């Protein structure tokens, strides 16, 4: 397959200001989002923050030990004859509760902007700087921006070093020689200022006394800066062709470029690091970026939909191509990402581990398992925390938390501590890593994650003697989060996932020639079957109003056959359930990953037309912006679980799934309207 035309015909090209669609460059560990000037010159013109974020940049307000778990109130939930404690409500410990929710939070590392001058010497505003054309070259990873300032042309190239957290900027403009183009770097306050993350998405530029910026070294071609924020620090190094740096504010530094040769071209690089920043010259970054992204596109899987006659095919191909790029930039790092990646902070910049599968399961399916393995290793680092969480609740093994910072510590929340569907995720993802590279070394590397997760799962499941089966909950909150903790019993998706995860653990023990925990087999073979009523599955056993009062948020019962093989599921009942969901669900309340989830269920049921309809449903939260991000609502303009879910569903619809029928493109209609050419895709488990 000639891949380059598939990629290049889907480059985002903007010819006007798109306030919800800044474009990003990044490397999986770090990313920089730019406005139409190629930098972050006019942030107020955008609805969405223009972020500069990393995996290592975190901050604790006031210090690392202001509050601890001992400072909050836990609520006791009746759990089959004993009390289990969960931090769900602040009660009389609001300050500690909200501090722990907000800390650590991910840092906005700094803003890199042009200061453009009009002919009269005044600073140019949005009305003076007119966008002409901006193109994200996906094949090279270079962002090309063209605009004019009172008719004078400015051309900018922006790229990210594939190996370093470094931005390269190359500018072509006569404004440089005229002294009318400057660059400045400015740093915001590190604190989260609201208890609600959605009110804290924009950086705070007013609290100058809450942080310190020191210029530690400066010359005619470079400068080094040290940032101090309570007990946290990081450094920045800026190198340039020629110019003069001035400090123009407590946390602002302005660079006045000088043209050395009569080319009208000037370049610089800015590197951020926890300890030692090592920027490379812009020319080197632009070159290595091009090499990196060409290898990315040539070495993974690929799909071409251009031969399709279905009018939706071009849009689906656009989403597929852009989602590959965005997930590599924002979700391909050494930790599970936050739901907005490095765009800006959602939920205080913390990771949601129940979303890790949605962010990353597609990587091995698109023959890029190495990008998944980067974040899988993080579970090994937090395994002691997960073991302690399980022990504190009276369970064996390791319980993975839901909402966490880099350290893996559970965050208090009205919902997060009650979720359980993140528990088998690392097991399924580890199995994908093994299938991508079926070597004993992979089993040895991740076995502690798989086995400790399984030990918790059998400890958590409760034997119901009356029905002679193992049940889940209460207390728990299903993936559909609008259910009460103390009422939820046996949600279908969680039941199926419990069985599936334990069977993975059993397989791994067999592959390693180790004895499996007998309880894994016992619980897996006797899980309760999901409840159905009037021929459809319920959200959980105690929810007769599933399709009336609870027909909003995630229709997660569908995940039991779609994401998963559905060994506990009756296909005809699930078909009825899927059709019922399509008919009566409040789709404005659904989330971006719900649409690919429904598509996967339809595919496994042999309903390819329905799979495509779900995947491309006209719904607000199934919107994909010009930059490729999955829009949800104001405040959540980027939602990477939607992008990742789309890639997983499309791979499955093309390459199939374990135990599925052996035919080409089983999840796409076979009436000739879809021409789906692909190479390198792997089937879903």
């Amino acid at each position: 397959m000639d891949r380059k035309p598939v990629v290049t015909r889907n480059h985002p090209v903007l010819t006007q200001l798109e306030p919800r669609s800044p474009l990003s460059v990044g490397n999986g560990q770090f990313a920089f989002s730019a406005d139409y000037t190629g930098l972050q010159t006019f942030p107020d013109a955008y609805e969405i923050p223009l972020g500069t974020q990393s995996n290592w940049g975190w901050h604790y307000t006031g210090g690392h030990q202001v509050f601890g778990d001992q400072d909050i109130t836990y609520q006791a939930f009746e759990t089959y004859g004993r009390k289990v404690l969960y931090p769900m409500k602040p009660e009389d410990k609001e300050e500690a509760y909200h501090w722990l929710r907000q800390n650590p939070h991910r840092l906005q590392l700094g803003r890199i902007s042009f200061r453009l001058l009009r002919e009269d010497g005044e600073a140019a505003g949005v009305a003076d700087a007119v966008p002409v054309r901006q193109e994200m070259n996906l094949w090279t990873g270079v962002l090309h921006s063209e605009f004019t300032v009172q008719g004078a042309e400015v051309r900018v190239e922006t790229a990210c070093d594939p190996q370093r957290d470094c931005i390269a900027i190359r500018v072509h403009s006569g404004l440089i020689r005229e002294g009318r183009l400057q660059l400045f770097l400015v740093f915001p306050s590190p604190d989260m200022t609201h208890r609600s993350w959605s009110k804290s998405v924009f950086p705070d530029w007013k609290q100058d006394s809450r942080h310190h910026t020191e210029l530690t070294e400066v010359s005619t071609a470079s400068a080094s800066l040290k940032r101090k924020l309570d007990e946290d620090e990081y450094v920045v190094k800026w190198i340039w062709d020629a110019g003069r740096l001035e400090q123009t504010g407590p946390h602002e530094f302005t660079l006045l470029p000088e043209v050395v040769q009569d080319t009208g071209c000037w370049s610089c690089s800015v590197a951020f690091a926890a300890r030692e920043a090592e920027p490379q010259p812009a020319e080197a970054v632009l070159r290595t970026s091009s090499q990196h992204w060409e290898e990315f596109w040539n070495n993974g899987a690929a799909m071409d939909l251009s031969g399709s006659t279905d009018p939706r095919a071009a849009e689906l191909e656009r989403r597929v191509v852009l989602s590959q790029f965005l997930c590599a930039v924002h979700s391909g790092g050494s930790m599970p990402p936050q739901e907005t990646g490095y765009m800006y902070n959602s939920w205080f910049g913390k990771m949601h581990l129940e979303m890790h599968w949605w962010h990353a399961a597609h990587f091995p399916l698109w023959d890029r398992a190495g990008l998944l393995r980067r974040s899988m290793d993080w579970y090994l680092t937090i395994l002691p925390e997960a073991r302690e969480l399980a022990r504190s609740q009276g369970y064996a093994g390791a319980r993975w938390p839901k909402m966490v910072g880099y350290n893996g510590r559970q965050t208090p929340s009205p919902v997060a501590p009650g979720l359980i569907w993140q528990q088998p995720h690392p097991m399924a993802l580890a199995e994908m890593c093994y299938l991508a590279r079926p070597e004993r070394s992979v089993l040895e590397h991740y076995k502690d994650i798989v086995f400790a997760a399984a030990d918790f799962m059998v400890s958590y499941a409760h034997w119901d003697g009356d029905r002679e089966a193992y049940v889940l909950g209460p207390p728990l909150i299903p993936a559909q989060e609008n259910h009460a903790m103390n009422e939820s019993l046996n949600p279908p998706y969680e039941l199926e996932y419990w069985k599936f995860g334990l069977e993975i653990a059993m397989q791994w023990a067999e592959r390693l020639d180790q004895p499996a925990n007998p309880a894994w087999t016992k619980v897996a073979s006797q899980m309760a079957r999901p409840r159905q009523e009037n021929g459809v599955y319920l959200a959980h056993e105690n929810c007769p109003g599933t399709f009336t009062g609870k027909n909003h948020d995630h229709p997660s019962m569908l995940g039991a056959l779609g994401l998963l093989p559905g060994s506990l599921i009756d296909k005809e009942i699930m078909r009825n359930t899927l059709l019922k969901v399509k008919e009566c669900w409040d789709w404005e309340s659904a989330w971006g990953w719900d649409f690919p989830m429904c598509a996967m269920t339809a595919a496994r049921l042999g309903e390819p037309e329905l799979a495509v309809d779900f995947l491309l449903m006209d719904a607000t939260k199934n919107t994909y912006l010009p930059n490729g991000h999955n829009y949800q609502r104001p405040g959540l303009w980027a939602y990477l679980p939607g992008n990742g879910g789309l890639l997983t569903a499309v791979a499955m619809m093309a390459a199939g799934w374990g135990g599925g029928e052996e035919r080409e493109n089983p999840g796409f209609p076979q009436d000739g309207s879809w021409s789906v050419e692909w190479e390198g895709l792997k089937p879903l488990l």
Side-chain angles (χ1 to χ4, degrees):
M1 182 185 294
D2 187 359
R3 299 173 174 216
K4 190 171 183 179
V6 179
V7 175
T8 56
R9 67 174 172 250
N10 288 291
H11 285 175
V13 177
L14 310 179
T15 56
Q16 62 184 15
L17 189 154
E18 294 283 354
R20 293 179 176 175
S21 288
L23 299 171
S24 302
V25 295
N27 59 24
Q29 293 284 80
F30 166 90
F32 174 86
S33 297
D35 63 18
Y36 67 86
T37 69
L39 297 185
Q40 298 162 334
T41 307
F42 299 116
D44 294 342
Y46 284 72
E47 292 182 26
I48 177 173
L50 303 177
T52 308
Q53 295 199 316
S54 72
N55 254 344
W56 50 261
W58 295 81
H59 173 249
Y60 284 85
T61 299
H64 291 200
Q65 304 296 328
V66 175
F67 292 105
D69 293 341
Q70 71 280 359
D71 298 311
I72 57 174
T73 301
Y74 287 73
Q75 289 73 46
F77 286 84
E78 178 63 34
T79 308
Y80 296 100
R82 68 187 187 91
K83 303 288 187 181
V84 177
L85 301 178
Y86 295 86
M88 309 290 284
K89 300 176 183 178
E91 294 189 14
D92 59 340
K93 302 291 179 64
E94 285 207 17
E95 185 179 2
Y97 177 94
H98 289 293
W99 187 91
L100 289 170
R101 274 180 62 73
Q102 294 175 23
N103 290 282
H105 48 259
R106 202 179 297 259
L107 284 168
Q108 160 69 322
L109 296 173
R111 175 182 152 208
I112 309 171
S113 303
F114 287 119
R115 181 175 290 113
L116 304 163
L117 302 180
R118 300 185 317 195
E119 292 176 347
D120 63 6
E122 295 297 314
V126 173
D128 303 303
V130 179
V132 175
R133 190 177 189 275
Q134 187 174 46
E135 178 175 359
M136 182 69 241
N137 188 318
L138 305 173
W139 194 258
T140 64
V142 178
L143 176 60
H144 298 263
S145 308
E146 300 175 36
F147 60 98
T148 62
V149 179
Q150 293 183 310
E153 182 183 54
V154 183
R155 290 182 290 120
V156 183
E157 294 160 278
T158 314
C160 179
D161 191 314
Q163 302 299 326
R164 300 170 179 82
D165 298 346
C166 172
I167 296 299
I169 304 155
R170 186 163 62 187
V171 187
H172 307 257
S173 179
L175 294 181
I176 300 173
R177 184 168 296 283
E178 297 176 24
R180 293 171 54 199
L181 185 147
Q182 305 170 0
L183 287 84
F184 68 94
L185 176 59
V186 62
F187 302 99
S189 168
D191 296 334
M192 301 298 293
T193 56
H194 296 275
R195 290 176 177 177
S196 167
W197 74 264
S198 61
K199 295 180 180 178
S200 299
V201 296
F202 288 92
D204 180 1
W205 300 97
K206 298 179 180 178
Q207 306 297 320
D208 288 345
S209 63
R210 283 291 297 121
H211 53 124
H212 180 70
T213 309
E214 179 185 358
L215 181 62
T216 58
E217 182 183 346
V218 65
S219 72
T220 58
S222 69
S224 296
L225 301 161
K226 184 175 182 180
R227 296 272 294 138
K228 176 75 173 175
L229 320 101
D230 296 314
E231 295 178 15
D232 304 299
E233 297 180 353
Y234 65 96
V235 296
V236 183
K237 187 165 185 179
W238 197 353
I239 62 173
W240 53 83
D241 291 343
R244 186 176 78 257
L245 187 73
E246 299 177 353
Q247 184 163 357
T248 49
H251 305 286
E252 180 182 283
F253 299 84
T254 297
L255 180 58
L256 287 71
E258 297 175 2
V259 177
V260 178
Q261 298 177 345
D262 192 19
T263 61
C265 177
W266 179 90
S267 65
C268 70
S269 298
V270 186
F272 301 82
R275 292 178 182 84
E276 186 173 349
E278 298 179 347
Q280 298 298 298
E283 291 293 333
V285 173
L286 291 162
R287 182 174 60 253
T288 56
S289 173
S290 183
Q291 293 168 349
H292 169 81
W293 285 103
E294 184 172 349
E295 290 175 5
F296 172 85
W297 293 112
N298 279 324
N299 289 339
M303 178 177 286
D304 184 343
L305 301 178
S306 62
S308 304
T309 59
D310 190 303
R312 299 170 293 178
E315 172 59 16
L316 181 57
E317 185 185 88
R318 183 187 78 90
R319 295 182 184 189
V320 165
V321 171
L322 291 179
S323 292
Q324 289 178 77
F325 179 77
L326 293 174
C327 288
V329 166
H330 293 285
S331 302
S334 57
M335 291 189 293
Q338 65 170 322
E339 295 185 16
T340 47
Y342 304 114
M343 296 292 287
Y344 64 95
N345 277 354
S346 56
W347 289 278
F348 313 107
K350 294 189 176 184
M351 298 89 82
H352 289 176
L353 296 191
E354 90 283 15
M355 288 292 101
H356 191 202
W357 189 96
W358 292 101
H359 284 286
H362 64 89
F363 284 132
L365 302 186
W366 285 81
D367 201 18
R368 297 186 177 111
L371 291 179
L372 168 59
R373 291 198 63 178
R374 291 177 77 183
S375 56
M376 281 298 295
D377 287 355
W378 177 78
Y379 287 97
L380 294 169
T381 70
I382 71 157
L383 188 54
E385 287 285 344
R387 289 187 186 278
E388 174 56 26
L389 177 58
R391 186 208 61 77
S392 71
Q393 296 178 337
Y395 296 115
R399 181 171 191 170
W400 310 115
K402 187 271 196 198
M403 177 176 165
V404 295
Y406 66 89
N407 53 20
R409 293 177 186 166
Q410 174 178 249
T411 297
S413 162
V415 172
L419 295 186
I420 64 169
W421 66 293
Q422 70 273 19
Q423 187 64 22
H425 277 346
M427 308 164 87
L429 295 173
E431 176 72 359
M432 289 181 173
C433 291
Y434 173 75
L435 294 177
R437 201 176 87 194
E439 300 172 2
R440 186 179 181 90
S441 61
V442 177
L443 299 170
E444 293 284 359
H445 191 67
Y446 295 125
K447 67 179 182 180
D448 289 346
I449 292 173
V450 173
F451 295 163
D455 287 343
F456 168 79
M457 290 163 68
V458 297
S459 178
Y460 181 89
H462 175 74
W463 175 253
D464 186 327
D466 293 337
R467 69 173 85 193
E468 296 187 338
Y470 284 95
V471 300
L472 299 178
L476 66 79
I477 295 177
Q480 183 188 10
E481 295 180 359
N482 55 13
H483 295 276
M485 178 93 158
N486 56 3
E487 295 176 1
S488 300
L489 172 66
N490 287 338
Y493 171 56
E494 282 81 352
L495 286 174
E496 176 69 18
Y497 213 178
W498 235 243
K499 182 175 187 292
F500 184 70
L502 291 173
E503 288 172 345
I504 288 174
M506 292 153 56
Q507 269 190 305
W508 277 49
E510 182 179 350
R511 290 168 182 160
L512 286 163
D513 298 317
Q514 294 183 7
N517 181 343
W520 300 347
T521 305
K522 182 179 180 181
V523 175
S525 64
Q526 298 182 77
M527 289 302 302
R529 290 188 174 271
R531 179 180 173 184
Q532 62 92 12
E533 193 171 277
N534 299 320
V536 294
Y537 287 113
L538 302 181
H540 62 82
E541 286 195 14
N542 297 327
C543 189
T546 295
F547 298 97
T548 52
K550 292 292 186 180
N551 59 337
H552 53 98
D553 196 59
H554 309 296
S556 57
M557 75 290 287
L558 299 176
L561 178 67
L563 282 77
L564 302 173
S567 61
L568 297 173
I569 298 300
D570 181 291
K571 284 192 173 183
E572 289 310 308
I573 295 174
M574 185 57 83
R575 192 186 316 276
N576 295 338
T577 308
L578 180 66
L579 294 174
K580 185 76 169 177
V581 165
K582 187 174 188 293
E583 170 195 349
C584 73
W585 212 257
D586 175 13
W587 290 107
E588 289 301 297
S589 73
W591 291 72
W593 56 267
D594 291 324
F595 303 96
M597 177 181 69
C598 293
M600 287 187 275
T601 302
R604 287 212 202 228
L605 290 170
E607 301 280 358
E609 291 83 4
L610 194 55
V612 173
D613 288 346
F614 273 117
L615 200 60
L616 291 164
M617 182 183 289
D618 183 12
T620 300
K621 292 185 180 179
N622 201 33
T623 299
Y624 285 74
L625 297 170
N627 61 6
H629 278 289
N630 180 206
Y631 174 84
Q632 302 295 285
R633 53 174 166 76
L636 199 52
W637 303 273
Y639 188 66
L640 287 155
N643 297 94
L646 170 84
L647 292 175
T648 301
V650 169
M652 173 198 184
M653 291 162 64
W657 51 90
E661 56 184 297
E662 294 292 333
R663 66 182 175 91
E664 190 174 357
N665 301 319
F668 283 93
Q670 303 295 308
D671 59 3
S673 61
W674 285 87
S675 171
V676 184
E677 297 183 27
W678 57 269
E679 57 188 22
L681 293 172
K682 310 297 182 185
L684 184 62
L685 297 177

